[in-house]
Amino acid sequence: MSRTGSPNTPTTAPVEERIPFPHTDAPLPCRTNPQWFSHDKSAGAEEDITRAKQACRACPIAKGCLKWALFHPEATRVGVWAATTPRERGELCRRLKERLGENWAEAVARRDEAARQRRRQARWNPPPSRDTARQRALSRLELELIPSRPAPYEPWREPITPARAAANRAALARALNTKNAA
């Protein structure tokens, strides 16, 4: 893909499908000022390269752009991609080969796919929630709603029973005794 979104990958170079070109709807400097990014190392290009690198450092898709550029060296022989020049990308590829072996691209693609699977799974199966203070408070409130003692007598809802009448007399006697004692 070019900086403006139109395909320009050479048809002879195989396109690595496992690492797709990153997309965003945000206005990116590489799309608004492509002249800073697409050039070969010529006299007077240093200022554009510096400007392009600074713009890439604030880019939201720089990580994906760098992976794409490393996976597609034939399509990125010229210009600044993810704040790197062709020479810097070559050095990064060399280090990746030393660290991950000749098949570094496969290792990176597997790692990216595993991360995508974890994100996808987290969307469908969120991790179990931890016992928070709010949840503990809600549990206490639920316990309070469970009656642990008999409900007060409500004469308009239920008939008075002999046991209830005895309890009422005892409560009245206690109340009168405390008033007389005071």
Side-chain angles (χ1 to χ4, degrees):
M1 291 261 183
S2 72
R3 308 268 181 184
T4 58
S6 60
N8 74 342
T9 306
T11 55
T12 57
V15 175
E16 181 60 59
E17 296 295 328
R18 293 173 296 176
I19 303 294
F21 191 79
H23 296 285
T24 182
D25 293 331
L28 302 175
C30 60
R31 293 181 184 154
T32 56
N33 298 311
Q35 69 276 8
W36 295 350
F37 298 85
S38 300
H39 52 75
D40 48 2
K41 200 105 166 158
S42 60
E46 288 300 320
E47 185 178 320
D48 283 344
I49 290 173
T50 304
R51 207 174 314 154
K53 284 184 172 189
Q54 287 174 348
C56 282
R57 287 188 181 102
C59 181
I61 62 168
K63 184 177 177 181
C65 184
L66 179 60
K67 286 180 187 176
W68 190 86
L70 292 173
F71 269 70
H72 302 92
E74 308 84 20
T76 59
R77 285 191 183 121
V78 175
V80 175
W81 290 82
T84 60
T85 61
R87 179 180 291 167
E88 292 166 337
R89 288 191 298 277
E91 177 62 23
L92 285 172
C93 281
R94 186 187 63 74
R95 284 198 240 148
L96 282 168
K97 284 179 186 175
E98 286 175 3
R99 198 172 90 213
L100 301 173
E102 280 298 316
N103 202 3
W104 65 269
E106 180 67 31
V108 171
R110 274 196 317 266
R111 190 178 310 160
D112 279 2
E113 182 57 31
R116 275 193 296 277
Q117 289 291 340
R118 282 192 304 274
R119 283 192 303 273
R120 197 173 303 129
Q121 184 179 10
R123 269 191 302 227
W124 294 106
N125 302 324
S129 61
R130 295 188 177 132
D131 188 28
T132 63
R134 182 175 188 273
Q135 288 172 332
R136 287 191 301 270
L138 288 173
S139 296
R140 279 194 308 271
L141 287 174
E142 286 175 0
L143 287 176
E144 289 176 10
L145 293 176
I146 298 171
S148 57
R149 60 179 189 258
Y153 173 64
E154 298 176 10
W156 57 90
R157 289 197 179 171
E158 54 190 56
I160 191 160
T161 62
R164 172 57 74 182
N168 287 348
R169 278 192 291 276
L172 183 61
R174 280 192 309 272
L176 289 174
N177 285 341
T178 56
K179 282 188 179 179
N180 290 337

